[in-house]
Amino acid sequence: MTNCIFCKIIAGEIPATIVARGAGMLAFEDVAPKADVHVLVVPERHIESFRDIETLTPDESKEMLGFVATTARGLGLEDYRVIVNTGPGGGQTVFHLHWHILAGNLPAFG
Ligand code: 5GP
Ligand code: ZN
């Protein structure tokens, strides 16, 4: 999608620190980290939000979740938090589905 910052990162049109790539997914460091480790995982195909998750096939969904877990493992993490902000009221500011992987100095939640 032309005006999507994450599509531009995926296309290599704007720089990002890439952590992992594969299975139609890309992981890169958040430009403004909210924890010691803060990595974003995105599908290469533009999907606006988690609300649209059912546009993925069951296999794609499984691959995506596996990629999030594999990326965290590749970062050497055992304990971490995965967040998907959904819609403006849920804190979403970039409208390309992304999974936050956060670790270290995390505030208590829930
Ligand atoms: P959201 O608030 O939509 O759940 O998360 C968007 C995240 O994208 C934020 O944590 C923000 O710091 C990050 N972000 C926004 N623009 C860029 C960018 O150009 N590059 C990178 N690497 N991260 C970005
Ligand atoms: Zn996009």
Side-chain angles (χ1 to χ4, degrees):
M1 186 171 267
T2 35
N3 246 345
C4 171
I5 197 150
F6 289 174
C7 280
K8 287 181 179 163
I9 288 174
I10 290 159
E13 290 167 9
I14 62 170
T17 303
I18 307 297
V19 171
R21 183 163 221 155
M25 302 288 300
L26 182 69
F28 54 93
E29 289 180 4
D30 195 293
V31 75
K34 318 299 186 295
D36 292 338
V37 177
H38 190 172
V39 166
L40 302 173
V41 179
V42 300
E44 289 183 345
R45 175 147 66 88
H46 181 91
I47 295 168
E48 193 169 302
S49 93
F50 187 76
R51 282 192 218 106
D52 305 315
I53 198 83
E54 282 152 311
T55 65
L56 296 175
T57 66
D59 280 350
E60 285 173 330
S61 293
K62 187 176 171 213
E63 291 224 53
M64 183 167 67
L65 288 175
F67 189 83
V68 172
T70 303
T71 298
R73 195 173 304 122
L75 290 164
L77 302 176
E78 187 170 354
D79 300 343
Y80 54 92
R81 184 173 295 165
V82 175
I83 294 176
V84 183
N85 295 326
T86 304
Q92 186 176 6
T93 58
V94 177
F95 293 89
H96 180 130
L97 172 64
H98 52 282
W99 302 72
H100 295 258
I101 299 175
L102 298 145
N105 70 314
L106 293 177
F109 184 81

